[in-house]
Amino acid sequence: MELEKATAEQVFEAARTATFRPTNLGLTTSVSVGGYRYRVIVEANYLAHTDCRAGYGGTEWTFANATPEQDRTLRAAIATQATK
């Protein structure tokens, strides 16, 4: 299922202040938006994206790519966190 644009914007905005951890998928974090927990993934060669969300009824596949601007902003926030 593809996320609505407004929801995706909220997810990527929330991810800017989240703590990312390295995994086999890339850098990942989980953020809460609208009662769901969304996984955000940042890989070296692709735009940041979501692939699933968890909520009361379990986990479902949800997809959204960050826009190039959202991706740059998110990567800049991660880089700033890394220097702290």
Side-chain angles (χ1 to χ4, degrees), residues 20 25-28 40-44 46 48-49 71 74-75 78:
F20 281 79
L25 300 174
L27 296 175
T28 64
V40 178
I41 303 169
V42 178
E43 299 177 73
Y46 300 98
H49 59 279
D71 184 72
L74 185 53
R75 289 175 192 273
I78 292 169

Side-chain angles (χ1 to χ4, degrees), residues 4-76:
E4 294 177 3
K5 182 180 177 182
T7 302
E9 288 174 355
Q10 292 174 356
V11 169
F12 293 118
E13 177 66 28
R16 289 178 52 205
T17 58
T19 301
F20 281 79
R21 293 186 172 35
T23 70
N24 63 322
L25 300 174
L27 296 175
T28 64
T29 194
S30 181
V31 296
S32 291
V33 172
Y36 291 97
R37 300 272 313 153
Y38 292 87
R39 179 167 60 185
V40 178
I41 303 169
V42 178
E43 299 177 73
N45 299 315
Y46 300 98
L47 292 173
H49 59 279
T50 65
D51 69 344
C52 64
R53 69 181 181 186
Y56 178 75
T59 301
E60 59 188 355
W61 298 111
T62 57
F63 301 98
N65 287 324
T67 64
E69 182 180 327
Q70 289 169 327
D71 184 72
R72 282 190 299 274
T73 302
L74 185 53
R75 289 175 192 273

